[in-house]
């Protein structure tokens, strides 16, 4: 490690100060809290070792998140090998759940409701509890793909490559995730009177 | 041909993941003109993406 600590070198205390943020980020990707903890730990270690490489061009958080993304992808790849994405039973029941949202002629069985001004909910801490609960209910493999897309902002081609699935498969899973999350939010939050 | 709700929902979702072709965009627009439910769904997709970003970035 470089001995000089100029203003552009990331300070250990500042790095450590981002732990809570990084952990929340990791836990959205990795269901297993121990894995999320590991990924964050690896990130903090890598950041401390490479503190001199932090150029100060981006914010410390952006830099750390960039490192964390790679650590998370490593974990997801490992998980993908140990527990492949083709869980047949899971896949069938999920497909059925999504099919059940539409009638045989392709109409919604129940139309998505008008949510009014949903952004107001973003300021309500109880909404975030419901949101987390809904996100947790997504089947593991669907959630993995969805969070890579939405939280890590990965293009679908990259997700396909990382998990060795086809683009079509990827789109199907993303769509299911959105339908499922939408359904849950409407049930848990937006459909309730007085919210 | 105007797609049904199920297909429209798929296109709306894929629109968040890849550029839709001009033909797909046109079919989507035709359906949305006629369908409140899918218009709501479209707004909800955008909201969910905003919410996920906010969840990720909030302190």
């Amino acid at each position: 490690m470089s001995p000089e600590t100029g203003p552009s070198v990331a300070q250990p205390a500042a790095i450590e100060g981002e732990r809570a943020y990084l952990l929340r980020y990791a836990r959205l990707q990795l269901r297993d809290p121990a894995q999320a903890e590991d990924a964050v730990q690896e990130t903090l270690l890598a950041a401390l070792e490479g503190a001199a490489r932090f150029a100060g061009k981006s914010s410390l958080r952006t830099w750390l998140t960039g490192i964390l993304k790679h650590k998370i992808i490593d974990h997801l790849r490992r998980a993908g090998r140990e527990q492949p994405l083709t869980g047949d039973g899971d896949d069938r029941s999920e497909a059925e759940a999504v099919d059940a949202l539409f009638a045989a002629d392709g109409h919604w069985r129940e139309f998505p409701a008008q949510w009014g001004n949903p952004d107001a909910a973003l300021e309500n801490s109880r909404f975030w509890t419901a949101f987390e609960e809904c996100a947790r209910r997504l089947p593991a493999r669907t959630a993995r793909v969805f969070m890579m897309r939405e939280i890590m902002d990965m293009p679908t081609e990259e997700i396909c490559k990382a998990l060795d699935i086809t683009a079509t498969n990827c789109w199907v899973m993303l769509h299911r995730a959105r339908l499922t999350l939408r359904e849950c939010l409407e049930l848990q939050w937006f459909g309730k009177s007085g919210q | 041909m105007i797609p049904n709700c199920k297909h429209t929902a798929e296109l709306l979702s894929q629109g968040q993941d890849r550029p839709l072709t001009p033909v797909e965009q046109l079919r989507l627009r035709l359906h949305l003109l006629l369908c409140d439910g899918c218009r709501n769904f479209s707004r909800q997709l955008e909201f969910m993406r905003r919410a996920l970003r906010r969840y990720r970035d909030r302190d």
Side-chain angles (χ1 to χ4, degrees):
Chain A
M1 208 190 298
S2 155
E4 78 260 32
T5 46
S8 67
V9 173
Q11 304 293 330
I15 291 175
E16 186 59 33
E18 296 290 338
R19 177 190 283 273
Y21 170 83
L22 296 172
L23 194 58
R24 191 170 64 236
Y25 189 104
R27 292 201 57 170
L28 280 172
Q29 319 298 324
L30 301 165
R31 287 288 172 102
D32 182 354
Q35 268 190 26
E37 192 76 55
D38 282 353
V40 170
Q41 202 58 37
E42 291 162 16
T43 301
L44 295 175
L45 278 174
L48 288 170
E49 278 166 15
R53 278 199 305 277
F54 174 63
K57 279 186 215 131
S58 57
S59 77
L60 179 62
R61 177 173 288 186
T62 306
W63 183 63
L64 290 170
T65 306
I67 301 175
L68 178 61
K69 277 187 185 181
H70 286 105
K71 303 293 178 195
I72 290 172
I73 291 171
D74 288 346
H75 278 268
L76 289 170
R77 280 218 183 91
R78 238 173 289 150
R81 274 198 301 272
E82 284 154 20
Q83 172 202 85
L85 275 168
T86 47
D88 249 9
D90 231 28
D91 193 66
R92 216 174 311 123
S93 63
E94 220 191 332
E96 280 165 11
V98 166
D99 277 344
L101 297 173
F102 297 92
D105 64 0
H107 274 84
W108 295 97
R109 276 192 205 284
E110 233 174 295
F111 267 31
Q114 166 67 255
W115 284 2
N117 172 23
D119 290 77
L122 301 178
E123 311 305 328
N124 188 328
S125 65
R126 283 186 305 128
F127 168 76
W128 291 112
T129 310
F131 188 82
E132 277 178 358
E133 179 57 37
C134 285
R136 251 205 312 275
R137 283 191 207 169
L138 294 174
R141 41 199 290 287
T142 305
R144 195 186 298 166
V145 175
F146 188 52
M147 295 307 171
M148 286 172 103
R149 177 79 191 98
E150 299 293 341
I151 299 293
M152 294 174 55
D153 220 357
M154 290 169 70
T156 43
E157 311 87 76
E158 273 181 39
I159 300 174
C160 296
K161 225 188 299 161
L163 298 177
D164 197 23
I165 55 176
T166 64
T168 306
N169 201 337
C170 200
W171 288 324
V172 167
M173 290 211 269
L174 290 169
H175 183 44
R176 284 180 188 167
R178 292 180 182 124
L179 284 170
T180 310
L181 183 61
R182 193 213 77 79
E183 198 69 11
C184 183
L185 288 175
E186 186 154 307
L187 218 63
Q188 297 298 320
W189 190 265
F190 293 105
K192 288 184 180 170
S193 53
Q195 300 283 12
Chain B
M1 207 188 84
I2 301 180
N4 63 28
C5 296
K6 189 176 182 182
H7 187 204
T8 298
E10 284 167 10
L11 284 176
L12 284 169
S13 187
Q14 287 185 24
Q16 293 205 317
D17 304 317
R18 66 172 175 89
L20 298 179
T21 67
V23 174
E24 285 171 331
Q25 287 178 32
L26 180 67
R27 297 178 73 196
L28 202 54
R29 270 207 299 278
L30 288 172
H31 182 98
L32 289 180
L33 274 176
L34 306 168
C35 181
D36 284 343
C38 286
R39 272 206 301 277
N40 288 343
F41 182 66
S42 174
R43 278 195 289 266
Q44 290 161 2
L45 285 181
E46 286 163 22
F47 166 74
M48 290 193 292
R49 177 160 280 181
R50 281 200 300 283
L52 282 154
R53 299 264 149 93
R54 176 78 86 89
Y55 184 82
R56 178 189 66 192
D57 297 333
R58 83 200 159 116
D59 283 305

Short mmCIF file of all heavy atoms in Angstrom, two decimals, chain A residues 88-118:
data_model
loop_
_atom_site.label_atom_id
_atom_site.label_comp_id
_atom_site.label_asym_id
_atom_site.label_seq_id
_atom_site.Cartn_x
_atom_site.Cartn_y
_atom_site.Cartn_z
N ASP A 88 -36.88 -27.01 -12.68
CA ASP A 88 -38.08 -27.30 -13.46
C ASP A 88 -39.40 -27.02 -12.75
O ASP A 88 -40.27 -26.35 -13.29
CB ASP A 88 -38.05 -28.76 -13.91
CG ASP A 88 -37.84 -28.86 -15.42
OD1 ASP A 88 -37.55 -27.81 -16.02
OD2 ASP A 88 -37.97 -29.96 -15.96
N GLY A 89 -39.54 -27.55 -11.56
CA GLY A 89 -40.80 -27.42 -10.82
C GLY A 89 -41.11 -25.95 -10.56
O GLY A 89 -42.22 -25.47 -10.82
N ASP A 90 -40.10 -25.25 -10.09
CA ASP A 90 -40.19 -23.82 -9.82
C ASP A 90 -40.68 -23.08 -11.05
O ASP A 90 -41.57 -22.25 -11.00
CB ASP A 90 -38.79 -23.32 -9.48
CG ASP A 90 -38.78 -22.53 -8.19
OD1 ASP A 90 -39.64 -22.81 -7.35
OD2 ASP A 90 -37.91 -21.65 -8.05
N ASP A 91 -40.05 -23.42 -12.17
CA ASP A 91 -40.32 -22.75 -13.42
C ASP A 91 -41.77 -22.95 -13.85
O ASP A 91 -42.45 -22.02 -14.25
CB ASP A 91 -39.38 -23.31 -14.50
CG ASP A 91 -39.40 -22.45 -15.74
OD1 ASP A 91 -38.94 -21.30 -15.64
OD2 ASP A 91 -39.88 -22.91 -16.78
N ARG A 92 -42.25 -24.19 -13.70
CA ARG A 92 -43.61 -24.49 -14.13
C ARG A 92 -44.63 -23.75 -13.26
O ARG A 92 -45.57 -23.16 -13.78
CB ARG A 92 -43.86 -26.01 -14.11
CG ARG A 92 -44.76 -26.45 -15.24
CD ARG A 92 -44.88 -27.97 -15.30
NE ARG A 92 -43.60 -28.65 -15.26
CZ ARG A 92 -43.25 -29.57 -14.35
NH1 ARG A 92 -44.08 -29.89 -13.39
NH2 ARG A 92 -42.06 -30.14 -14.39
N SER A 93 -44.44 -23.78 -11.95
CA SER A 93 -45.44 -23.14 -11.09
C SER A 93 -45.43 -21.63 -11.30
O SER A 93 -46.47 -20.97 -11.21
CB SER A 93 -45.18 -23.50 -9.63
OG SER A 93 -43.94 -23.00 -9.22
N GLU A 94 -44.25 -21.08 -11.60
CA GLU A 94 -44.18 -19.65 -11.85
C GLU A 94 -44.88 -19.28 -13.16
O GLU A 94 -45.61 -18.30 -13.24
CB GLU A 94 -42.72 -19.23 -11.92
CG GLU A 94 -42.44 -17.93 -11.24
CD GLU A 94 -41.05 -17.43 -11.55
OE1 GLU A 94 -40.15 -18.25 -11.81
OE2 GLU A 94 -40.88 -16.21 -11.53
N ALA A 95 -44.67 -20.11 -14.18
CA ALA A 95 -45.32 -19.87 -15.47
C ALA A 95 -46.83 -19.94 -15.29
O ALA A 95 -47.57 -19.13 -15.86
CB ALA A 95 -44.85 -20.91 -16.49
N GLU A 96 -47.29 -20.88 -14.48
CA GLU A 96 -48.72 -21.02 -14.24
C GLU A 96 -49.28 -19.81 -13.51
O GLU A 96 -50.37 -19.32 -13.83
CB GLU A 96 -49.00 -22.30 -13.43
CG GLU A 96 -49.00 -23.55 -14.30
CD GLU A 96 -48.92 -24.84 -13.47
OE1 GLU A 96 -49.09 -24.75 -12.24
OE2 GLU A 96 -48.70 -25.90 -14.07
N ALA A 97 -48.53 -19.32 -12.54
CA ALA A 97 -48.98 -18.16 -11.78
C ALA A 97 -49.14 -16.95 -12.69
O ALA A 97 -50.09 -16.17 -12.56
CB ALA A 97 -48.00 -17.85 -10.66
N VAL A 98 -48.21 -16.80 -13.64
CA VAL A 98 -48.28 -15.67 -14.56
C VAL A 98 -49.42 -15.87 -15.56
O VAL A 98 -50.18 -14.94 -15.85
CB VAL A 98 -46.93 -15.48 -15.29
CG1 VAL A 98 -47.08 -14.56 -16.47
CG2 VAL A 98 -45.90 -14.93 -14.31
N ASP A 99 -49.56 -17.10 -16.06
CA ASP A 99 -50.65 -17.39 -17.00
C ASP A 99 -52.01 -17.10 -16.35
O ASP A 99 -52.94 -16.67 -17.02
CB ASP A 99 -50.60 -18.85 -17.45
CG ASP A 99 -49.60 -19.04 -18.59
OD1 ASP A 99 -49.22 -18.02 -19.20
OD2 ASP A 99 -49.20 -20.18 -18.85
N ALA A 100 -52.10 -17.35 -15.05
CA ALA A 100 -53.37 -17.18 -14.35
C ALA A 100 -53.81 -15.72 -14.30
O ALA A 100 -54.96 -15.41 -14.02
CB ALA A 100 -53.26 -17.74 -12.93
N LEU A 101 -52.88 -14.80 -14.59
CA LEU A 101 -53.23 -13.38 -14.57
C LEU A 101 -54.04 -12.99 -15.81
O LEU A 101 -54.68 -11.94 -15.84
CB LEU A 101 -51.97 -12.51 -14.52
CG LEU A 101 -51.08 -12.65 -13.30
CD1 LEU A 101 -49.79 -11.86 -13.49
CD2 LEU A 101 -51.81 -12.16 -12.06
N PHE A 102 -53.99 -13.85 -16.84
CA PHE A 102 -54.67 -13.52 -18.10
C PHE A 102 -55.72 -14.59 -18.44
O PHE A 102 -55.54 -15.77 -18.15
CB PHE A 102 -53.66 -13.44 -19.24
CG PHE A 102 -52.64 -12.35 -19.05
CD1 PHE A 102 -51.42 -12.61 -18.43
CD2 PHE A 102 -52.91 -11.04 -19.47
CE1 PHE A 102 -50.50 -11.59 -18.23
CE2 PHE A 102 -51.98 -10.03 -19.27
CZ PHE A 102 -50.77 -10.30 -18.65
N ALA A 103 -56.81 -14.14 -19.08
CA ALA A 103 -57.83 -15.07 -19.55
C ALA A 103 -57.33 -15.76 -20.82
O ALA A 103 -56.30 -15.37 -21.37
CB ALA A 103 -59.13 -14.32 -19.82
N ALA A 104 -58.08 -16.75 -21.28
CA ALA A 104 -57.67 -17.51 -22.47
C ALA A 104 -57.52 -16.61 -23.70
O ALA A 104 -56.67 -16.86 -24.56
CB ALA A 104 -58.66 -18.63 -22.75
N ASP A 105 -58.31 -15.55 -23.78
CA ASP A 105 -58.23 -14.66 -24.94
C ASP A 105 -57.15 -13.59 -24.78
O ASP A 105 -57.02 -12.69 -25.61
CB ASP A 105 -59.59 -13.99 -25.19
CG ASP A 105 -60.02 -13.08 -24.05
OD1 ASP A 105 -59.26 -12.97 -23.05
OD2 ASP A 105 -61.11 -12.49 -24.14
N GLY A 106 -56.35 -13.68 -23.70
CA GLY A 106 -55.24 -12.76 -23.53
C GLY A 106 -55.59 -11.47 -22.81
O GLY A 106 -54.73 -10.60 -22.64
N HIS A 107 -56.85 -11.33 -22.35
CA HIS A 107 -57.20 -10.16 -21.54
C HIS A 107 -56.75 -10.36 -20.11
O HIS A 107 -56.67 -11.48 -19.63
CB HIS A 107 -58.72 -9.94 -21.55
CG HIS A 107 -59.20 -9.13 -22.69
ND1 HIS A 107 -59.48 -9.67 -23.93
CD2 HIS A 107 -59.45 -7.80 -22.80
CE1 HIS A 107 -59.87 -8.71 -24.75
NE2 HIS A 107 -59.86 -7.57 -24.10
N TRP A 108 -56.47 -9.24 -19.42
CA TRP A 108 -56.19 -9.33 -17.98
C TRP A 108 -57.44 -9.91 -17.31
O TRP A 108 -58.55 -9.50 -17.64
CB TRP A 108 -55.97 -7.94 -17.37
CG TRP A 108 -54.79 -7.19 -17.84
CD1 TRP A 108 -54.77 -6.23 -18.82
CD2 TRP A 108 -53.44 -7.27 -17.35
NE1 TRP A 108 -53.50 -5.72 -18.97
CE2 TRP A 108 -52.66 -6.34 -18.07
CE3 TRP A 108 -52.82 -8.05 -16.36
CZ2 TRP A 108 -51.30 -6.15 -17.84
CZ3 TRP A 108 -51.47 -7.86 -16.13
CH2 TRP A 108 -50.72 -6.93 -16.87
N ARG A 109 -57.26 -10.84 -16.38
CA ARG A 109 -58.40 -11.29 -15.60
C ARG A 109 -58.86 -10.15 -14.69
O ARG A 109 -60.04 -9.92 -14.51
CB ARG A 109 -58.03 -12.50 -14.74
CG ARG A 109 -58.13 -13.79 -15.50
CD ARG A 109 -58.06 -14.97 -14.56
NE ARG A 109 -57.57 -16.14 -15.29
CZ ARG A 109 -58.33 -16.84 -16.13
NH1 ARG A 109 -59.59 -16.53 -16.31
NH2 ARG A 109 -57.82 -17.86 -16.78
N GLU A 110 -57.87 -9.50 -14.11
CA GLU A 110 -58.18 -8.30 -13.33
C GLU A 110 -57.29 -7.18 -13.84
O GLU A 110 -56.06 -7.31 -13.79
CB GLU A 110 -57.92 -8.55 -11.85
CG GLU A 110 -59.11 -8.21 -10.99
CD GLU A 110 -58.86 -8.60 -9.55
OE1 GLU A 110 -58.74 -9.81 -9.28
OE2 GLU A 110 -58.75 -7.69 -8.73
N PHE A 111 -57.87 -6.11 -14.30
CA PHE A 111 -57.07 -5.02 -14.85
C PHE A 111 -56.16 -4.41 -13.79
O PHE A 111 -56.58 -4.22 -12.66
CB PHE A 111 -58.01 -3.92 -15.37
CG PHE A 111 -58.34 -4.07 -16.82
CD1 PHE A 111 -58.41 -5.33 -17.41
CD2 PHE A 111 -58.61 -2.96 -17.60
CE1 PHE A 111 -58.71 -5.47 -18.75
CE2 PHE A 111 -58.91 -3.09 -18.95
CZ PHE A 111 -58.97 -4.34 -19.52
N PRO A 112 -54.91 -4.11 -14.17
CA PRO A 112 -54.05 -3.36 -13.24
C PRO A 112 -54.76 -2.08 -12.85
O PRO A 112 -55.30 -1.37 -13.70
CB PRO A 112 -52.81 -3.07 -14.08
CG PRO A 112 -52.77 -4.16 -15.10
CD PRO A 112 -54.21 -4.44 -15.42
N ALA A 113 -54.80 -1.80 -11.55
CA ALA A 113 -55.56 -0.65 -11.05
C ALA A 113 -54.81 0.65 -11.30
O ALA A 113 -53.61 0.66 -11.59
CB ALA A 113 -55.82 -0.83 -9.57
N GLN A 114 -55.52 1.72 -11.15
CA GLN A 114 -54.92 3.06 -11.21
C GLN A 114 -54.24 3.30 -9.85
O GLN A 114 -54.90 3.20 -8.82
CB GLN A 114 -56.07 4.05 -11.45
CG GLN A 114 -55.76 5.51 -11.23
CD GLN A 114 -54.78 6.03 -12.23
OE1 GLN A 114 -53.61 6.23 -11.92
NE2 GLN A 114 -55.23 6.25 -13.46
N TRP A 115 -52.95 3.56 -9.84
CA TRP A 115 -52.22 3.73 -8.57
C TRP A 115 -52.16 5.19 -8.12
O TRP A 115 -51.48 5.51 -7.16
CB TRP A 115 -50.80 3.16 -8.68
CG TRP A 115 -50.75 1.65 -8.63
CD1 TRP A 115 -51.81 0.81 -8.55
CD2 TRP A 115 -49.58 0.83 -8.65
NE1 TRP A 115 -51.38 -0.49 -8.53
CE2 TRP A 115 -50.01 -0.50 -8.59
CE3 TRP A 115 -48.20 1.10 -8.73
CZ2 TRP A 115 -49.11 -1.58 -8.61
CZ3 TRP A 115 -47.32 0.03 -8.74
CH2 TRP A 115 -47.77 -1.30 -8.68
N GLY A 116 -52.82 6.05 -8.84
CA GLY A 116 -52.82 7.46 -8.43
C GLY A 116 -51.43 8.06 -8.57
O GLY A 116 -50.81 7.96 -9.61
N ASN A 117 -50.94 8.65 -7.49
CA ASN A 117 -49.61 9.24 -7.49
C ASN A 117 -48.67 8.35 -6.68
O ASN A 117 -48.40 8.61 -5.52
CB ASN A 117 -49.67 10.66 -6.91
CG ASN A 117 -48.28 11.25 -6.72
OD1 ASN A 117 -47.31 10.84 -7.38
ND2 ASN A 117 -48.16 12.19 -5.79
N PRO A 118 -48.16 7.25 -7.31
CA PRO A 118 -47.41 6.26 -6.53
C PRO A 118 -46.14 6.81 -5.92
O PRO A 118 -45.68 6.31 -4.89
CB PRO A 118 -47.11 5.16 -7.56
CG PRO A 118 -47.16 5.85 -8.88
CD PRO A 118 -48.17 6.94 -8.73
#
